[in-house]
Structures are given as structure tokens and as C-alpha cells.
Amino acid sequence: MLNITMKINGKAVSGTVEGRTLLVEFLRNDLHLTGTHVGCDTSQCGACTIHVNGIAVKSCSMFAVEADGASIDTIEGQENTDGSLNKIQQAFQDHHGLQCGFCTPGMVMAAADLLQNTPTPTEAEIRNHLDGNICRCTGYHNIVKAIMAASGQDVSAIAAE
Amino acid sequence: MPKDSGIGTSPKRREDIRFLTGNGKYTDDINLTGQSHAVFARSDVAHGKINHIDISAAETMPGVLAIFTGEDFADVGGNPAGWLINSRDGEPMKEPKRPVLAYGKVRHVGDAYAAVIAETVLQAQDAVEAIKADITELPAIVDMEAALAGGGFVHDEIETNQCFDWGWIEDNRAATDAAIKAAPHVTTLSLVNNRLVPNAMESRASTADYDRGTGDYTLYTTSQNPHLTRLLVCAFVLGIPENKLRVVSPDVGGGFGSKIYHYGEEALVLAAAKKLCRPVKWTASRSESFLTDAHGRDHVTKIELACEKDGTFIAFRTDTMANVGAYLSNFSTVTPTFLHGTLMAGNYTVPNVYVNVKAVFTNTAPVDAYRGAGRPEATYSLERVIDKCARELALDPIELRRKNFIKPDQFPYASAAGLEYDAGNYDALFDKLEGIVDFGGFKARRAESEKGGKLRGLGINSYIEACGIAPSNLVGILGARVGLYDAATVRVNATGNISVMVGAHSHGQGHATVFPQVVSEMLGVEENSIEIVHGDTSKIPFGMGSYGSRSLAVCGSAVVRATEKIINKATKIAAHMLEASESDIDFKDGKFSVSGTDKSVAFGEVAFKAYVPHDYPHDELEPGLEETAFYDPANFTYPSGAYACEVEVDPETGKVTVESFTAVDDFGNVINPMIVTGQVHGGIGQGIGQALLENCTYDENGQLLSASYMDYAMPRASDLPFYTVDHSCVTPCTHNPLGVKGCGEAGAIGSPPTIVNAVVDALHSGGHTHVTHIDMPVSPARVWSAINS
Ligand code: FES
Ligand code: FES
């Protein structure tokens, strides 16, 4: 067993893990941060997307020990400081960008990563960026629209809701 | 003035907040004190005889608490099929037992033959590795035609691989045959409705708890219908008294049919929890989901369309083999029969329809209802053959359909496939479609595509579905073993806020937002003071859950009926408070008033009086304000639609790109347009997935080749376009109080033929007129081969 410490959503945490424990397992099972989901076992679905040192990472594709010393952000830390939804979360609600909600944390974290680097992405850039995030419910229309809206673009011309 | 709340508006979904902040509570998020973990030993051969399962080494592994094999459940019941289908000769279908764990034989890759319960998942996994299964591999039965030809049997005791040979309507068979024989034109098409894996993003999970003191069980499970799961576990499999089992399905991450059914893992964790007197948890890996969730579709079909030279339809005859996999899943027998065959008249005044379906056991995972369930199969066969017919007769595909549509003044209409359509206006849908899509500009767009070396195709399609499942009387006659009503309890609390307990289950559909819109409209109280309770058999009335686009049409109707009862009783209380006669009380905007006076009491005051009944007509009324209604629909509902899309085909690579997609649907009245639109989007996404990408494939040994997201092409954001969706053509359902029809499956039903019709159109424009059909998924390889064949 190995001792690890890291910063999660600004707070220092520590734990003891096996070498084979995945980062997503550490978050969900040891820290009970169950907002990060597991949708596959081949690192394809993106439901487990978090930020590690500011970059979007699939937390099922890392061992917990590899995150020792890292600074991590998860869906649980995304709200504004007053507890309101941040602009991406709010856009997802405004534009009905989620249905069952299972892919949603990963989508929000992936979108945040995109907007950090590409503040005004085109439709194609958004769709390409989401290639590692699968949603089975929405047909993606409203997810893409929400991300465009979150980036400040006028989405009123995109087919109605 | 436009309304800002209630029916017809689009309030934001209240459930979104918890999902967006990581506070959803899905089954795997729940951890119980002292829980142990189950891991299953699963067959890696498709068909095998179990000689011996040696668990001795596994039992001594660290952390192992118990190991179960098939023999432990040999004496309990099987997981049953929910519908009895009779063959054409009157023989009942074959129903081999579906055990909790396989014994005697394993029948598909992934079939569980043992389960280890251990302190941790990893310990359980290690112990599963140490189980020594002596299994003699038998030849796998994979191909349906070969299965019907005999040789080996999936279930030796029934001595056939045919579950049933069903005819609909058998009495119409001879007339249909004769009509086709005599017809001036017959179009014939053979096609495959490709097998799909539903792939809800949350995989299945079940956690059981047992209270030794009370003998009560609790099962947390990923179910679309917790009461149905409880009924199946209790009455058929484990024999637990129903009142000793509480089934909770909390937030559920999508279902699409795959979570309707009871699965053996649920029974296993319950039995294990009792044996160990500890909670037992199991969560499927995605690989397990691919191997063991009920799959969808998988029909091999020949359809014939007979018509006059002018295109007037005379007869449709369908011959289908439907794969049911290795065991009968709960809805597997109704899906290819009544949910498919009864829709084979489509939106048309065709006089002769006959459908023959042979259901076939194979060494593959069970196949059952998946979004649309039988109706996508019906629509695909019909609308593809109609498209082919239009081409053969050089008729415009829209005109051909219009020529044969049931006209608005013909409703209610008794279809040749045995249903009575209550309302619809199919011409209006096409009028609308023609208004939205710039068909006139297509030629120019095609020319533009051609400049870039691409072939552009236009596909159109119409569909009808039967939703709001279902009238119990009717389905009882047809073989259903359950009723298909739903239920709701409206509880007005003393302080005036309201809890509505519903039998429907939301796993993405937005009930928490939509049902309050209905109650708020009726009671004139704020939507936000109304809370929906669902997914817990200890809290809700006995309801049948959500599938078949039934939540609003059936459970929503129960909500209306219960709310009417509330208004009734509240009116009596108000009459007492206002010292007036009940017949003089008006109820409007949340206020009871005496007509012709300014005397009134608010709804909240009446509620308070019901719970603090100091001055109260006790001789006439009970205290309290809570009502339950069960609603059994009088008929199915019949949503319909007109769809169009444009695709570009790259003739060099065969790749198909969807350039635009328009869906015009008639869902009857719409309660929340935003949510309805979202449902259509999701359905189209899955339909395009089926048409272009998804294919569940077994090799000849019964090995699942498409068992991960690396091998099974799920539609991704970059595979799909923005969609144009319209639901402004409304013919309200005539027999439910809201006039609603259901919208959950439409997109998945209407879109696959639209896409394939467009691809064929594109190839014809490029001179590849020898291509009359390409089976789904219309992958680059298939398109390229078709072009170059
Ligand atoms: S769980 Fe990490 S990508 Fe699917
Ligand atoms: S909202 Fe259900 S998977 Fe995306």
C-alpha cells in the first residue's frame, strides 16, 4: 500500500492505495467524490474526465499514485464561489444539454478544458473536442449548443428547442 | 399573453442542478456500511456443457465470503417472459427456464455460471480467476437460418431452436397471398435490421441489503421499473414475499429498454445478502454490459409490397426471423410480434397485411426491446420497400406516400394490421416538412456537392408508432402476463406544498420537471412547490415504470386523475369553509370562490383545514388531502411523423456524412417543448447510429467481436449534425385526458430509413443504379463495395 497526497478542488487530501488503484477509483471509493463517473473499461467514454494540473484527463487512465502531488479539479468543485452554477453548467441547464446526467460531469469538464484553450470554438471544433466523450441521450445537439452559448456565442439561430 | 408556466412551457429542468454539480445519486454511488462485493464468473465459450465447477481453491482466497454456482439456484424459479405468444398452429411458444446462474450448460459468451462474494472487488476478481470450470465446448449456434435447420440445440429439452412461428393476422394470410399473386406490381426487398447494444452510459448495478431482525430486503438497482423488478424477483424467481422487498432505483443513467428487465445479478445479490447478512454490491464493467445487457433489433426480413401501376398499395407481406438470443428476456417475445407486426400497415390505407415472425434461439446474449422496440423494425422494412417501389415505378417518394395515406376524415381508422388509430394527419406532417426543408433548392445543393466530388442524396420517410403502452384488456387477450396501467398519488401536505408519487421512472426524461407542470396547471399552485417522488417501491404506488413512450400518456393520465380527485375533495372542504353549497363553488387559479360573490379561500387554506380539521365536516369527509389514481389506457397512442435528411457520400471512400436532418412529429399535445425536442434529438442520434455506425457482431463461434467502445461504433459528436425538429402539427390523442401521445422513441423509429433512403438516392444520382439497398450500418466499406460491385 502506498501513501499519496494531492490537492482536490483546492483542498489537500491524502490516502492509502494499492499500486493498481485507478485515480477514478480513489476519487469515487475512497474520497466519495461520486460525481466523476465510470462508463467504460477502455478509456473511451469520457464520463470520468477531470482536470489534473489544469488539463483534462480521463481519470480511469491514470493510477492514483501517478496523481501523487497533483492538483486536481472535479465536477464537485466547478460551481461559482457563491454556490451558483458556473457559466458552462448554467449553459447546459439553459439549453437542455443533459438528460440522464451520467455523461454530464465529463462533458462539463471537457468543455471547460476546450474553452480554456479555445475561447470561441466553432461547431466543428466543439464536436472534435468531444470525440472522447460519449453521450447516449442527447444526440449531442444541445451539448454542442450549450458549449457555444457558454463561450458567449449567439445560438439563437441554431435549430429550436 | 404567452404563458410562463404550466402546460406548454419549457421551464428549466430542476434535476439538472444535481447532475451538473456531481450530486446525482446513481446506484454505484451508494455504499452501504459493511458492504461486500460480487464478481461473476462468466463463460468464455458461446455454448458448452458444464461438467464440473471446482471452487475449492477460490474459497480459500483472501477476503472470500461465499461462492455461488448454478446448483445453488436449481430449485428456485426462472426469470420469465412477460408475454405468451402462440404459434400459427396454436401451440404456445417454447419457454426454456432462464436460471439465476447457468447450470448444465452455458449458452452465450458472458453467461454467468458462478459468483464470488468477497470483502473487496479486487479480492472477488482474484477468486473468480481461481475457479476451475470444466466446460466442454459445443458447436455454437449463431446464424438464425442454421439454428432453424436444427443440428444442435441451445436448449436441449425443447428439441428445437424455434421459440415460435407467429402469424399476424393469420386469417388474412390467404387473402394477402392472393392479392400479391394478382397484383400488377410487386416490389421485394430483403434486409437485415442490425443488432444493436443499447449502451446506456451507466452500466447496470445492483446492491442488496438484508435485515436479519425484520427479514426485510432492500435492492438498489438500475431499473426503469422498480415494481416490475420486485414482482419478477418475488413472484417468479426467489419467492420473497413482495412486502418484504423494497426496490429502489435512484438516479439511473439511461435505459433505452435495457433496464426494463430483471437480470440474474439482481437475484444473486439478494440471495447473497441474506446468506451473509451483509450488503452485497455488484457493478457491471462496460465489457459485462456488452456481453450481458439485452441487445436490440436483429431481424432478418423479406418484405413484399404489392401495388397498382399508379402506386396504390394493395398488400404488404413480411417474413421475419427474429433473434431472441440464448434466453427469453422479459419483453423479448412481444417485441418482434405485437410491437412489430401490428405496425406493418404503417400510415396507409393498404387493405391486406400479413406478417410472419419466427423467433429463434441462438448462443448469443438475449435480445429484447431497445428504444422503439419492434416499431423501428416495422418502419424500416416498410419505408425502405416503399422507397424502392417509388424508384421502380418512377414515382416521387412523397407523392407515393401521400397517395396511400389515411386521410384526416378517416379517423378513427381500423388498420389492416389490427390496430385502431384514433387520430392523425399525415398529409399535414408532410406539408409542414415541405415548408421547413428547402426541397426546391436540393438540385443546386446536389450540384454543389458534385463539384466537390461528392454524391448528395435526399431521403424522406414517414412513420407511425403505437405508444402509451398499454390497454390491459387488449394486451391480456394478446398474451401479456401483466397489466400495463400506471399509478400516481398526489399528497397535498398540511403546509400546502405537494408530493406526487408516480409509478413512472425517469432516467433522463425529465419527469421531475414535467409532471409538476401538469399538476400546477390544474391546481394553480407554483410548480416549485410540487415535488415528484419516484423509483422506490416503499414510497410510490404500484406502477409499471417507463418504456414504450408511456410515462406521460399513461402515468401522466394517472396524475391528472389523482389531481381531479384532490380538486373534488378540496371543493367539498371549501364549500364547508365558505358555508356554501358545493355546486356553487368555482375553482380557478388556485382559489375556491362562491360564484357570484367575493367570498373565497385559497388552495393552501383548504389544505391546512384538511390537516387541522377543528371545524370540519367529519360526518361527511375524512381529514387529509391525498388521493391515488390508477389509469389504464383505453387504446395505444399513435404518434406519427415525416422526416427528411440529406447526406453526402464520398464515392472514393464510401463515407456517408449527414448534412441535414429534419423531423416533423405529431405527438399530440406537448407539455414541455424543450424536453420533447431533446427526446427527439436523442432518438435521432441513436437512429443515425444504427443507420451508419453501430453493429453488434458475433463470429461463427459465438464470440462477440464488438464488445467494447473500440469495436462498437457509438455515435460521437462529430458523427452527427444539428437537427431541425418540429412538433407543431398536433392531433391530440382522443382517449387520454392530456391528449398526449409520447415522444421518447420517435427519433429512433423515424431516422434509420430516412438515412438509408438518402444514401441510395445519392448513389443513384452518381449512376450507381444497380444499388437498390445497402444493409445497416451503411459503413464506408459497405457503400464502397456496393458502388464497386
Ligand atoms: S470511464 Fe474513463 S473513459 Fe470511460
Ligand atoms: S445525458 Fe445521458 S449519457 Fe449524456
Side-chain angles (χ1 to χ4, degrees):
Chain A
M1 299 293 268
L2 304 149
N3 294 322
I4 52 173
T5 57
M6 60 190 81
K7 214 183 226 185
I8 299 187
N9 299 324
K11 280 201 215 98
V13 299
S14 55
T16 313
V17 296
E18 285 190 52
R20 59 180 168 174
T21 303
L22 299 174
L23 179 53
V24 68
E25 292 168 343
F26 179 62
L27 293 173
R28 288 183 55 81
N29 302 339
D30 296 28
L31 304 178
H32 302 294
L33 291 170
T34 54
T36 302
H37 295 154
V38 176
C40 73
D41 44 14
T42 52
S43 295
Q44 293 275 312
C45 77
C48 63
T49 306
I50 60 170
H51 295 178
V52 178
N53 298 326
I55 293 169
V57 166
K58 289 176 173 174
S59 59
C60 71
S61 66
M62 261 178 92
F63 292 114
V65 290
E66 292 178 279
D68 188 26
S71 170
I72 285 178
D73 293 292
T74 70
I75 190 68
E76 285 89 351
Q78 293 298 299
E79 292 139 78
N80 297 325
T81 44
D82 66 356
S84 59
L85 298 181
N86 76 16
K87 71 175 185 210
I88 297 173
Q89 293 169 316
Q90 189 59 57
F92 269 69
Q93 191 195 23
D94 290 347
H95 298 282
H96 190 25
L98 62 153
Q99 292 183 23
C100 80
F102 198 80
C103 71
T104 308
M107 288 288 178
V108 169
M109 298 309 286
D113 180 70
L114 171 68
L115 296 187
Q116 253 170 43
N117 303 311
T118 313
T120 322
T122 63
E123 180 197 341
E125 284 172 327
I126 295 171
R127 290 187 186 273
N128 284 334
H129 188 81
L130 295 183
D131 246 19
N133 292 75
I134 303 177
C135 174
R136 192 55 153 169
C137 295
T138 62
Y140 301 99
H141 179 115
N142 284 341
I143 292 177
V144 177
K145 187 172 173 182
I147 295 171
M148 291 180 94
S151 72
Q153 302 183 61
D154 179 6
V155 294
S156 55
I158 296 170
E161 57 202 24
Chain B
M1 206 178 80
K3 292 169 70 174
D4 57 7
S5 70
I7 290 176
T9 64
S10 296
K12 292 174 196 171
R13 293 200 332 167
R14 56 178 77 177
E15 56 267 59
D16 287 354
I17 309 278
R18 70 174 186 276
F19 297 139
L20 283 161
T21 54
N23 288 302
K25 207 157 234 35
Y26 301 87
T27 301
D28 186 62
D29 299 342
I30 295 167
N31 293 300
L32 303 179
T33 313
Q35 82 190 0
S36 55
H37 298 268
V39 172
F40 289 82
R42 298 188 181 277
S43 176
D44 52 15
V45 298
H47 194 190
K49 182 173 172 300
I50 301 175
N51 302 314
H52 180 62
I53 303 209
D54 179 1
I55 58 171
S56 54
E59 273 177 324
T60 62
M61 300 277 290
V64 171
L65 301 167
I67 298 181
F68 293 83
T69 65
E71 271 160 36
D72 294 308
F73 296 93
D75 297 331
V76 306
N79 185 2
W83 287 62
L84 172 67
I85 302 297
N86 291 318
S87 284
R88 291 162 46 209
D89 59 6
E91 275 290 301
M93 68 188 192
K94 300 284 190 273
E95 281 186 89
K97 182 176 174 182
R98 184 181 186 189
V100 175
L101 291 173
Y103 64 96
K105 267 168 82 163
V106 285
R107 294 185 174 86
H108 65 92
V109 172
D111 203 1
Y113 56 80
V116 174
I117 319 298
E119 295 289 350
T120 70
V121 177
L122 294 174
Q123 287 171 335
Q125 279 170 351
D126 290 344
V128 163
E129 299 284 317
I131 293 175
K132 291 193 195 74
D134 174 7
I135 295 175
T136 306
E137 188 170 0
L138 301 168
I141 299 152
V142 181
D143 178 70
M144 283 195 274
E145 222 158 308
L148 288 179
F153 300 121
V154 177
H155 296 274
D156 300 312
E157 67 275 22
I158 59 172
E159 295 180 336
T160 173
N161 291 316
Q162 182 173 286
C163 177
F164 55 76
D165 172 5
W166 178 80
W168 187 255
I169 298 171
E170 196 54 27
D171 289 349
N172 296 353
R173 182 187 181 105
T176 306
D177 289 351
I180 290 176
K181 213 165 178 191
H185 182 87
V186 179
T187 300
T188 304
L189 182 62
S190 293
L191 53 84
V192 173
N193 206 293
N194 44 331
R195 185 174 179 127
L196 305 173
V197 182
N199 269 310
M201 291 316 298
E202 178 204 27
S203 57
R204 286 190 294 120
S206 302
T207 299
D209 196 8
Y210 178 72
D211 183 325
R212 199 184 354 200
T214 61
D216 290 340
Y217 295 80
T218 307
L219 175 68
Y220 300 89
T221 194
T222 49
S223 174
Q224 299 176 217
N225 31 247
H227 271 111
L228 201 56
T229 298
R230 189 182 72 170
L231 184 67
L232 291 164
V233 171
C234 292
F236 294 91
V237 183
L238 293 180
I240 298 169
E242 256 186 293
N243 55 10
K244 286 294 188 189
L245 172 59
R246 172 184 171 211
V247 177
V248 183
S249 32
D251 288 329
V252 171
F256 315 113
S258 67
K259 293 173 181 168
I260 298 172
Y261 326 115
H262 164 54
Y263 292 87
E265 290 89 351
E266 292 169 325
L268 188 285
V269 292
L270 281 164
K274 173 161 191 205
K275 178 167 180 180
L276 297 172
C277 288
R278 281 180 66 172
V280 177
K281 178 172 184 169
W282 167 75
T283 301
S285 67
R286 180 57 55 186
S287 302
E288 279 181 295
S289 300
F290 270 106
L291 292 172
T292 67
D293 287 5
H295 295 173
R297 317 282 192 257
D298 207 350
H299 285 198
V300 175
T301 294
K302 179 181 160 199
I303 182 164
E304 289 150 291
L305 182 168
C307 63
E308 306 287 354
K309 287 276 180 230
D310 71 353
T312 304
F313 296 159
I314 298 170
F316 302 149
R317 183 169 62 194
T318 306
D319 223 323
T320 287
M321 284 187 295
N323 200 339
V324 289
Y327 301 101
L328 293 182
S329 176
N330 304 137
F331 276 14
S332 62
T333 52
V334 66
T335 298
T337 53
F338 290 107
L339 294 180
H340 164 240
T342 58
L343 270 307
M344 285 311 300
N347 317 47
Y348 308 107
T349 55
V350 57
N352 301 291
V353 173
Y354 178 75
V355 183
N356 177 237
V357 178
K358 295 184 182 71
V360 187
F361 289 109
T362 58
N363 291 122
T364 64
V367 182
D368 206 324
Y370 163 63
R371 199 171 196 166
R375 290 150 291 170
E377 293 89 320
T379 302
Y380 184 69
S381 302
L382 208 51
E383 297 298 326
R384 280 292 302 125
V385 80
I386 290 172
D387 223 65
K388 186 171 181 228
C389 174
R391 214 169 282 289
E392 287 173 358
L393 296 179
L395 296 171
D396 176 85
I398 296 182
E399 284 319 307
L400 177 60
R401 287 173 171 87
R402 281 187 186 270
K403 184 181 200 66
N404 290 284
F405 275 159
I406 301 159
K407 299 296 171 194
D409 60 0
Q410 291 178 284
F411 291 94
Y413 185 84
S415 89
L419 293 175
E420 184 176 286
Y421 303 162
D422 64 332
N425 188 342
Y426 313 135
D427 279 302
L429 290 163
F430 267 94
D431 292 345
K432 187 76 189 182
L433 185 72
E434 288 176 311
I436 295 175
V437 179
D438 171 24
F439 287 123
F442 175 70
K443 264 199 180 132
R445 292 193 293 279
R446 172 173 274 173
E448 199 53 39
S449 296
E450 278 165 8
K451 271 190 221 155
K454 304 281 171 57
L455 304 174
R456 199 177 186 95
L458 171 65
I460 66 113
N461 181 47
S462 74
Y463 77 88
I464 181 165
E465 50 173 334
C467 295
I469 292 171
S472 297
N473 280 341
L474 176 62
V475 298
I477 294 167
L478 301 181
R481 288 165 166 162
V482 289
L484 284 167
Y485 48 83
D486 219 292
T489 299
V490 177
R491 177 182 299 155
V492 183
N493 297 311
T495 50
N497 56 30
I498 298 170
S499 309
V500 183
M501 281 62 80
V502 293
H505 186 279
S506 181
H507 29 281
Q509 297 89 335
H511 299 171
T513 304
V514 175
F515 286 143
Q517 291 179 251
V518 173
V519 177
S520 153
E521 178 92 18
M522 292 179 71
L523 295 181
V525 299
E526 287 272 317
E527 278 165 25
N528 284 335
S529 68
I530 303 163
E531 195 69 26
I532 299 301
V533 179
H534 77 141
D536 183 342
T537 58
S538 72
K539 293 181 179 167
I540 60 172
F542 191 105
M544 301 309 288
S546 290
Y547 41 82
S549 306
R550 71 191 302 274
S551 299
L552 192 58
V554 186
C555 190
S557 298
V559 170
V560 171
R561 292 285 182 251
T563 308
E564 285 168 355
K565 290 187 188 178
I566 292 282
I567 295 171
N568 249 333
K569 182 170 181 185
T571 305
K572 291 193 171 78
I573 301 170
H576 174 78
M577 292 169 76
L578 295 164
E579 297 175 330
S581 124
E582 199 188 317
S583 57
D584 291 335
I585 301 292
D586 292 331
F587 180 54
K588 206 172 166 254
D589 298 334
K591 240 198 305 191
F592 296 91
S593 47
V594 184
S595 50
T597 74
D598 59 358
K599 290 202 317 190
S600 69
V601 283
F603 182 79
E605 295 173 82
V606 174
F608 188 74
K609 178 66 75 183
Y611 287 95
V612 189
H614 292 158
D615 167 23
Y616 194 84
H618 286 285
D619 43 345
E620 292 161 31
L621 282 179
E622 294 172 12
L625 197 50
E626 169 169 335
E627 299 287 353
T628 295
F630 283 75
Y631 181 86
D632 204 310
N635 190 354
F636 291 93
T637 62
Y638 298 99
S640 54
Y643 284 23
C645 79
E646 287 181 27
V647 300
E648 258 191 1
V649 178
D650 183 339
E652 298 299 316
T653 63
K655 185 170 166 48
V656 177
T657 315
V658 183
E659 294 296 315
S660 66
F661 199 104
T662 306
V664 177
D665 297 279
D666 175 0
F667 295 131
N669 294 329
V670 168
I671 308 297
N672 183 316
M674 174 190 85
I675 286 177
V676 167
T677 301
Q679 289 293 306
V680 178
H681 288 168
I684 297 173
Q686 290 180 3
I688 296 178
Q690 169 166 28
L692 294 182
L693 299 161
E694 298 177 40
N695 204 19
C696 175
T697 312
Y698 286 89
D699 73 8
E700 68 279 9
N701 298 317
Q703 292 295 331
L704 183 60
L705 299 178
S706 52
S708 81
Y709 290 142
M710 292 190 286
D711 314 295
Y712 185 92
M714 289 283 279
R716 314 239 172 186
S718 55
D719 297 314
L720 299 170
F722 282 129
Y723 322 105
T724 304
V725 171
D726 180 276
H727 29 77
S728 63
C729 291
V730 172
T731 62
C733 169
T734 58
H735 57 78
N736 66 42
L738 292 166
V740 296
K741 297 184 181 179
C743 64
E745 298 160 291
I749 294 170
S751 53
T754 318
I755 297 281
V756 179
N757 290 349
V759 172
V760 173
D761 185 57
L763 297 192
H764 276 249
S765 83
H768 309 292
T769 50
H770 63 286
V771 182
T772 54
H773 178 70
I774 303 176
D775 273 326
M776 301 186 290
V778 181
S779 60
R782 287 184 178 180
V783 174
W784 190 90
S785 309
I787 290 174
N788 293 291
S789 66

